[in-house]
Amino acid sequence: QKEVEQDPGPLSVPEGAIVSLNCTYSNSAFQYFMWYRQYSRKGPELLMYTYSSGNKEDGRFTAQVDKSSKYISLFIRDSQPSDSATYLCAMSGWEGKLIFGQGTELSVKP
Amino acid sequence: DVKVTQSSRYLVKRTGEKVFLECVQDMDHENMFWYRQDPGLGLRLIYFSYDVKMKEKGDIPEGYSVSREKKERFSLILESASTNQTSMYLCASKQADRGSGETQYFGPGTRLLVL
């Protein structure tokens, strides 16, 4: 079993839809949770960063962490074609070594 | 803004060639990382470095080596390229851990094709 599991998709939604992206993990030592966005043929860029459990909102993006269930989510409201990308969850413990999910490919159709 | 640059966006090499991938960061970060990214496998850590002249093996170091002679530069070396090393290579950097989970910043990637 992988330490971090992420549905690879692809996921296709119409413009304006609410998108939910999810990851599960097995290591209870993880404390830091991140979402990266990666456009085609580019490097990943940090989108959201959360420490421990709870919610964090930034514009149309909301990150949720439920440590009791070992489950994290990224919600995108009012999705736009420019949101079309691969979304990678990543997490680490105190030592800082990042473990990535496989990435979910999202396509938002106009 | 943090800037991580990689020397090449695309490379084509032949089996058996020695390949150098260069990465430079401009934020005085202590830690630097090399990953490869393959469809269905996500990002896998090859090597990382906590400081100049220091290196640690990641999850898949076989067939690779690294060099960190200066703080801002981290090189990945494929000693004898093989076709199974065809991949997207990503460099990242971050500040040393201070107990608050500093995040990694990525370069644009190098797509390597080994024929």
Side-chain angles (χ1 to χ4, degrees), chain B residues 63-80:
Chain B
Y64 303 94
S65 62
V66 290
S67 172
R68 188 138 180 234
E69 296 297 319
K70 293 185 178 181
K71 191 175 186 179
E72 68 272 16
R73 188 179 297 269
F74 192 33
S75 302
L76 180 70
I77 303 151
L78 286 65
E79 297 292 342
S80 178

Side-chain angles (χ1 to χ4, degrees), chain A residues 2 32 34 36 38 41-46 49 88 92 94-103, chain B residues 9-10 35 37 40-43 45 50 59 88 90 94 97 99-101 103-104 106-108 111:
Chain A
K2 291 181 180 178
Y32 305 106
M34 284 142 263
Y36 284 83
Q38 185 176 22
R41 303 189 184 281
K42 298 285 179 67
E45 57 177 338
L46 183 66
Y49 169 85
L88 298 148
S92 72
W94 299 109
E95 83 291 351
K97 180 183 174 185
L98 272 184
I99 307 297
F100 287 86
Q102 300 146 286
Chain B
R9 294 300 305 277
Y10 302 95
Y35 295 89
Q37 185 177 28
L41 297 176
L43 273 75
L45 182 64
Y50 284 127
D59 299 318
M88 169 78 138
L90 290 160
K94 74 175 184 69
D97 283 305
S100 59
T103 57
Q104 294 185 22
F106 284 85
R111 283 194 177 276

